[in-house]
Coordinates of all heavy atoms in Angstrom, one line a residue:
Chain B
C59 N 18.2 18.7 9.0 CA 19.6 18.7 9.3 C 19.9 17.8 10.5 O 19.2 18.0 11.6 CB 20.1 20.1 9.7 SG 19.8 21.3 8.4
G60 N 20.7 16.8 10.3 CA 21.1 15.9 11.5 C 20.1 14.8 11.7 O 20.4 13.9 12.5
A61 N 19.0 14.7 10.9 CA 18.0 13.7 11.2 C 18.5 12.3 10.8 O 18.1 11.3 11.5 CB 16.7 14.0 10.3
I62 N 19.3 12.2 9.8 CA 19.7 10.8 9.4 C 21.0 10.4 10.2 O 21.2 9.2 10.5 CB 20.0 10.7 7.9 CG1 18.9 11.4 7.1 CG2 20.2 9.3 7.4 CD1 17.7 10.6 6.7
A63 N 21.9 11.4 10.4 CA 23.1 11.1 11.1 C 22.8 10.5 12.5 O 23.6 9.7 13.0 CB 23.9 12.4 11.3
R64 N 21.7 10.9 13.1 CA 21.3 10.4 14.3 C 21.3 8.8 14.4 O 21.5 8.2 15.4 CB 20.0 11.0 14.6 CG 19.2 10.3 15.8 CD 17.8 10.9 15.8 NE 17.0 10.0 16.5 CZ 15.6 9.9 16.4 NH1 15.0 10.6 15.5 NH2 15.0 9.0 17.1
F65 N 21.0 8.2 13.2 CA 20.9 6.8 13.2 C 22.2 6.1 12.8 O 22.2 4.9 12.7 CB 19.8 6.4 12.2 CG 18.4 6.8 12.6 CD1 17.9 8.0 12.1 CD2 17.7 6.0 13.5 CE1 16.6 8.4 12.5 CE2 16.4 6.4 13.9 CZ 15.9 7.6 13.4
S66 N 23.3 6.8 12.6 CA 24.6 6.2 12.3 C 25.0 5.3 13.5 O 24.8 5.7 14.7 CB 25.6 7.3 12.1 OG 25.5 7.7 10.8
P67 N 25.7 4.2 13.2 CA 26.1 3.3 14.3 C 26.9 4.0 15.4 O 26.7 3.7 16.6 CB 27.0 2.3 13.6 CG 26.5 2.3 12.2 CD 26.0 3.7 11.9
I68 N 27.8 5.0 15.1 CA 28.6 5.6 16.1 C 27.8 6.4 17.2 O 28.2 6.5 18.3 CB 29.7 6.5 15.5 CG1 30.8 6.9 16.5 CG2 29.0 7.8 15.0 CD1 31.7 5.8 16.9
M69 N 26.6 6.8 16.7 CA 25.8 7.6 17.7 C 25.3 6.9 18.9 O 25.1 7.5 20.0 CB 24.6 8.3 16.9 CG 25.0 9.4 16.0 SD 26.0 10.7 16.7 CE 24.9 11.4 17.9
Q70 N 25.1 5.5 18.8 CA 24.8 4.8 20.0 C 25.9 4.8 21.0 O 25.7 5.0 22.2 CB 24.5 3.3 19.6 CG 23.1 3.1 19.0 CD 22.0 3.6 19.9 OE1 22.0 3.5 21.1 NE2 21.1 4.3 19.3
T71 N 27.2 4.8 20.4 CA 28.3 4.8 21.3 C 28.5 6.2 21.9 O 28.8 6.4 23.1 CB 29.6 4.4 20.5 OG1 29.3 3.3 19.7 CG2 30.7 4.1 21.5
V72 N 28.2 7.2 21.1 CA 28.2 8.6 21.6 C 27.2 8.8 22.7 O 27.5 9.4 23.7 CB 27.9 9.6 20.4 CG1 27.8 11.1 21.0 CG2 29.0 9.6 19.4
K73 N 26.1 8.2 22.6 CA 25.0 8.3 23.6 C 25.5 7.7 24.9 O 25.3 8.2 26.0 CB 23.7 7.7 23.1 CG 22.9 8.6 22.2 CD 21.5 8.0 21.9 CE 20.7 8.9 21.1 NZ 19.5 8.4 20.7
S74 N 26.1 6.5 24.8 CA 26.5 5.9 26.1 C 27.7 6.6 26.6 O 27.9 6.7 27.9 CB 26.8 4.4 25.9 OG 27.5 4.1 24.7

Side-chain angles (χ1 to χ4, degrees):
Chain B
C59 305
I62 314 271
R64 166 189 159 203
F65 293 96
S66 279
I68 195 67
M69 287 309 293
Q70 280 309 316
T71 316
V72 171
K73 279 187 178 176
S74 43

